[in-house]
Amino acid sequence: MHSFRHRLARRTAPYALLLVLATVQALSAQTLKVATIAPEGSSWVKALRSIDAKVQQATDGAVQLKIYAGGVQGDEKVVLRKMRIGQLHGGGFAGQGASIVLPDILGLQMPFLFDDYEEIDCVIDSMNTTLKKAYQDKGFVHLGWADIGFVHILSKSPINSIEDIRRHTVWRLEEEPITEVLFRLANVRSVPLAIPDVLLGLQTNMVDVVYAPPAAAIVLQWFTRVAYINTVPINYTLGAFIVSARAFAQLAPDHQTALREIAEKEMRTLSLKTRVENEEALHVMIDNGLKVNGLDEGAIEAFRELVQSTQAELVGATIPLATQQRIDSLLAAFRQARAQRRD
Amino acid sequence: MVFAIPHRRFHSTTQYIIKISALCILGGIAFSGCANRIKISLAQSLVADVAQATERHDDPALVMQSMPAFLLLLEGLLEENPRNANLLLTATEGYASYATLIELNDRERAHNSYGRAKEFGLRALHKRKKIRHLLGAPFTQFSTITAHLKPKDLPLVFWTASAWGGWISTNLESMAALADLPKVIHLMEWVIGVDEGFKHAAPHLFLGVYYAALPPMLGGQPDRALHHFNRSHELTNGTSLMVHVLKARYYARQIFDRDLHDALLREVLQTETAPEASDLILQNEMAKTMARQLLEESDAFF
């Protein structure tokens, strides 16, 4: 009996050691707590889960993400606050979070700045290093961009010009600096509302013009309370996956590299997917009875002039001057190069 | 929300067959048509019996494994009788219930089953002339549908909306699916208005999940969700354990209240199905399975 037990112990010892090692590794696994308002099952959360799976694989389980989906940790401002006090380590920001941390992002979201994704990709690629460093200076590590999409005007009656807009009451996102200045200078009557209150605002005719990326207009059900969608994109909006620099610094250097590379790639995939979803959403809304209208070239020019006048107030105060100049010059250079390529 | 036929349609199968056969002979109806009707009647009787047995069964795994065969039988009957209203309702209910049973473990198959259920339900609604043109219409027009619905439509509307909602919630990446959500909610609000206690207050459970599952930023309303869960609890006198499970899974998680979450689930595990609630045996067993799983996930979630 004794010898049997002895033999058994000898045979199982290596496995027991493995088990102990595995336990130690599991205990020492570093968990990054990441929150997002995007619901479980959405493309955003799927992207974060994919990052988690791949990072676990690349680091042999040493690093993992704990994902809080569906806004259970609060809205993006709350998530940022929790990140600052170390209660959370990261956020998948699909709303204003990315620009609250770094107002430079607002420069990329100015109305009538970008015409298409090619322009956006070129400008953001060129500014990537600078912007990542700017996030770092604020105490955050930027792990990837994610499109929210081009914003479109949705309205109860057709909007073809600034005069049309002036005849209506327009929704304005609370505490969003660009629209506040823009509508004031354009003499547009606007009502500030938080996003969850907009649907009721449309139902009660408190507002009759709103704007959103197409996918958001479906998720928020705003499309059920308007009759028109304008096909001219107003402005581009951008989200990001950000973690606190303090939490990131706790990771081993090769794990940091793995997380950066994996996240960057997955977030790019998410962006491309969001572009497809927004395109699909636009068609779905049209299929659901929304009538399409556009802006004539004169109207777009008038809008552009208005935006110019808002820049005088915003740039330097809200958006850093150097950032806006960089965006403008990169975009101008890209457009020129593209025009030459086409010639 | 587990498979069941709302009402048994006749007392004894034999009696019914004799009656039908006699009518067929007396009326001189062609034999083939008569045989077909007898086949449907027999099948429907079987469906009703199996449905009731299912509701009262205490082994969800067994029911889960045997339901596909049953659904295939229904499909077979529908092949021959694609527009039979009762068969369509039974298929809607059957596939939607099956999807609910398997959703936790096999989301993709659940999505397909919800999709089939939705198609059968819409096919049944499509038979109605006044409703037909509204089904695919934009929301504003669609919302007038309730003016044409009658109380007797309630089971069909409930099961169609349930299936449609399940189909959307298992397919959140599809914009076309998400765009249908306001329609589903509109139908379910109508159901609540007509009979809020239908199927053990299931319409309240449905809306409770809906208002709790969405983050407040995206239109979720935790307070409204709480009202629906509490009303569901009241209407079932606390006999439906699924109320607690879904309240924990959606409401407690959304408001990030672990104490409430775990307390609700523990209560479910400690509660036996009341004798007067024999129709809830299977659903309550399911609720217990889900409660165990959700409790295990509690550490990971909070």
Side-chain angles (χ1 to χ4, degrees):
Chain A
M1 189 67 196
H2 174 80
S3 97
F4 173 73
R5 235 190 308 183
H6 188 72
R7 273 207 319 267
L8 185 73
R10 235 185 14 207
R11 277 185 193 167
T12 51
Y15 301 108
L17 186 67
L18 272 180
L19 192 71
V20 170
L21 282 176
T23 316
V24 168
Q25 195 174 46
L27 285 175
S28 64
Q30 285 168 297
T31 304
L32 292 174
K33 295 180 176 179
V34 176
T36 177
I37 57 160
E40 197 65 64
S42 63
S43 306
W44 252 98
V45 175
K46 283 188 177 170
L48 291 175
R49 295 223 179 277
S50 174
I51 293 171
D52 174 39
K54 287 181 178 163
V55 166
Q56 284 198 44
Q57 201 180 16
T59 62
D60 292 323
V63 179
Q64 59 180 27
L65 303 187
K66 180 167 179 173
I67 298 152
Y68 297 97
V72 297
Q73 288 281 357
D75 63 22
E76 298 196 339
K77 271 192 199 160
V78 178
V79 170
L80 280 172
R81 199 167 60 230
K82 287 181 175 174
M83 280 168 70
R84 288 197 175 100
I85 57 171
Q87 212 173 326
L88 284 173
H89 306 121
F93 295 102
Q96 291 167 283
S99 61
I100 292 173
V101 176
L102 197 67
D104 303 60
I105 303 304
L106 293 172
L108 297 164
Q109 303 190 154
M110 288 299 279
F112 299 100
L113 179 68
F114 293 117
D115 289 336
D116 52 54
Y117 292 124
E118 227 186 341
E119 294 181 349
I120 290 162
D121 288 343
C122 168
V123 171
I124 292 180
D125 275 354
S126 309
M127 294 185 71
N128 216 6
T129 318
T130 318
L131 291 172
K132 278 179 187 292
K133 177 156 186 319
Y135 273 110
Q136 188 80 44
D137 293 343
K138 303 248 176 189
F140 296 93
V141 176
H142 176 283
L143 292 175
W145 301 107
D147 265 49
I148 302 169
F150 273 113
V151 168
H152 290 258
I153 294 177
L154 300 121
S155 53
K156 295 193 177 195
S157 37
I159 299 288
N160 295 308
S161 63
I162 295 178
E163 287 69 39
D164 286 338
I165 295 186
R166 287 196 184 112
R167 277 194 281 274
H168 297 94
T169 312
V170 183
W171 164 66
R172 165 162 72 77
L173 178 59
E174 270 182 344
E175 295 174 39
E176 199 287 309
I178 298 179
T179 40
E180 194 275 317
V181 178
L182 180 67
F183 292 157
R184 178 159 44 79
L185 295 181
N187 284 324
V188 168
R189 196 166 58 238
S190 70
V191 176
L193 290 173
I195 286 173
D197 301 326
V198 176
L199 187 63
L200 190 67
L202 280 168
Q203 279 166 346
T204 56
N205 292 322
M206 191 196 283
V207 291
D208 38 28
V209 179
V210 297
Y211 46 88
I218 287 186
V219 171
L220 296 162
Q221 304 189 5
W222 297 352
F223 78 103
T224 60
R225 302 290 165 185
V226 294
Y228 292 86
I229 181 154
N230 204 298
T231 49
V232 178
I234 303 300
N235 67 313
Y236 168 74
T237 49
L238 181 65
F241 176 28
I242 300 165
V243 296
S244 83
R246 203 168 17 161
F248 191 76
Q250 305 288 315
L251 307 180
D254 54 333
H255 293 165
Q256 292 183 349
T257 312
L259 175 59
R260 271 188 203 276
E261 282 172 4
I262 292 165
E264 198 74 45
K265 218 168 143 185
E266 293 296 315
M267 294 306 282
R268 177 65 186 169
T269 310
L270 172 64
S271 263
L272 297 178
K273 206 168 165 194
T274 305
R275 290 175 188 183
V276 175
E277 281 179 1
N278 273 321
E279 187 67 31
E280 186 197 339
L282 192 64
H283 291 295
V284 166
M285 285 193 282
I286 295 166
D287 289 346
N288 272 270
L290 289 205
K291 292 184 204 65
V292 170
N293 62 163
L295 297 171
D296 53 48
E297 211 28 65
I300 295 178
E301 265 321 299
F303 272 116
R304 279 191 210 278
E305 277 167 29
L306 251 176
V307 174
Q308 284 295 328
S309 66
T310 63
Q311 282 197 334
E313 198 169 319
L314 285 167
V315 177
T318 310
I319 305 163
L321 175 65
T323 304
Q324 196 61 53
Q325 285 174 339
R326 181 96 198 278
I327 294 169
D328 291 344
S329 71
L330 282 168
L331 185 58
F334 173 80
R335 282 179 177 161
Q336 200 182 2
R338 185 161 66 175
Q340 277 169 0
R341 270 204 312 274
R342 282 175 183 169
D343 286 343
Chain B
M1 271 186 259
V2 174
F3 191 67
I5 296 289
H7 305 289
R8 295 194 63 189
R9 296 177 185 86
F10 25 81
H11 301 295
S12 143
T13 314
T14 332
Q15 253 180 355
Y16 192 73
I17 296 170
I18 292 169
K19 211 166 157 188
I20 288 277
S21 311
L23 275 174
C24 289
I25 294 160
L26 282 173
I29 299 168
F31 181 72
S32 62
C34 182
N36 193 28
R37 279 169 65 184
I38 293 174
K39 199 159 76 181
I40 297 176
S41 311
L42 264 172
Q44 282 178 354
S45 167
L46 182 72
V47 164
D49 291 340
V50 171
Q52 191 168 48
T54 302
E55 270 189 339
R56 296 181 175 175
H57 210 286
D58 62 359
D59 184 354
L62 182 142
V63 173
M64 231 181 277
Q65 280 167 15
S66 36
M67 270 192 80
F70 187 68
L71 293 171
L72 276 177
L73 174 82
L74 269 172
E75 294 260 10
L77 288 164
L78 274 161
E79 283 276 318
E80 272 187 70
N81 311 277
R83 288 171 59 80
N84 180 294
N86 283 335
L87 281 177
L88 286 171
L89 169 61
T90 310
T92 309
E93 184 179 346
Y95 271 104
S97 305
Y98 177 62
T100 313
L101 275 169
I102 61 170
E103 192 181 332
L104 213 54
N105 301 317
D106 192 347
R107 204 174 158 85
E108 206 178 315
R109 175 169 280 177
H111 174 68
N112 292 337
S113 294
Y114 280 129
R116 274 191 107 69
K118 170 177 88 94
E119 290 312 316
F120 287 129
L122 289 175
R123 202 198 286 175
L125 285 170
H126 199 264
K127 281 163 59 91
R128 301 268 301 276
K129 275 194 192 128
K130 285 185 180 161
I131 286 176
R132 190 172 297 164
H133 67 288
L134 297 173
L135 292 173
F139 178 74
T140 334
Q141 280 161 272
F142 176 90
S143 60
T144 61
I145 196 170
T146 40
H148 306 288
L149 294 174
K150 297 179 185 74
K152 71 172 174 55
D153 297 322
L154 190 134
L156 178 62
V157 175
F158 170 78
W159 286 110
T160 307
S162 292
W164 207 343
W167 179 76
I168 297 167
S169 72
T170 49
N171 192 21
L172 288 179
E173 284 168 287
S174 159
M175 291 297 130
L178 276 170
D180 284 347
L181 195 54
K183 295 182 176 179
V184 174
I185 301 307
H186 186 67
L187 290 178
M188 211 47 105
E189 297 277 9
W190 175 82
V191 171
I192 285 203
V194 177
D195 180 7
E196 60 170 343
F198 182 71
K199 293 293 322 159
H200 311 288
H204 277 295
L205 265 188
F206 185 97
L207 289 184
V209 169
Y210 167 69
Y211 285 116
L214 279 176
M217 269 290 285
L218 301 180
Q221 299 180 40
D223 291 345
R224 217 160 155 179
L226 185 63
H227 157 76
H228 285 294
F229 284 123
N230 290 347
R231 189 74 191 124
S232 201
H233 189 69
E234 263 170 42
L235 287 166
T236 56
N237 296 318
T239 54
S240 168
L241 303 183
M242 198 56 96
V243 179
H244 274 5
V245 170
L246 295 179
K247 186 174 168 182
R249 182 180 179 185
Y250 293 98
Y251 175 75
R253 285 187 173 197
Q254 183 62 59
I255 63 162
F256 214 64
D257 185 340
R258 185 176 184 165
D259 290 343
L260 175 68
H261 178 266
D262 292 2
L264 286 167
L265 297 173
R266 282 203 199 92
E267 196 184 323
V268 167
L269 293 177
Q270 284 157 8
T271 311
E272 289 308 317
T273 299
E276 72 271 19
S278 58
D279 285 354
L280 281 168
I281 293 175
L282 179 75
Q283 189 177 305
N284 283 351
E285 282 308 312
M286 274 283 297
K288 288 188 178 201
T289 310
M290 284 168 77
R292 269 186 288 273
Q293 194 168 333
L294 293 172
L295 263 179
E296 271 169 29
E297 288 171 13
S298 196
D299 269 339
F301 184 87
F302 289 99

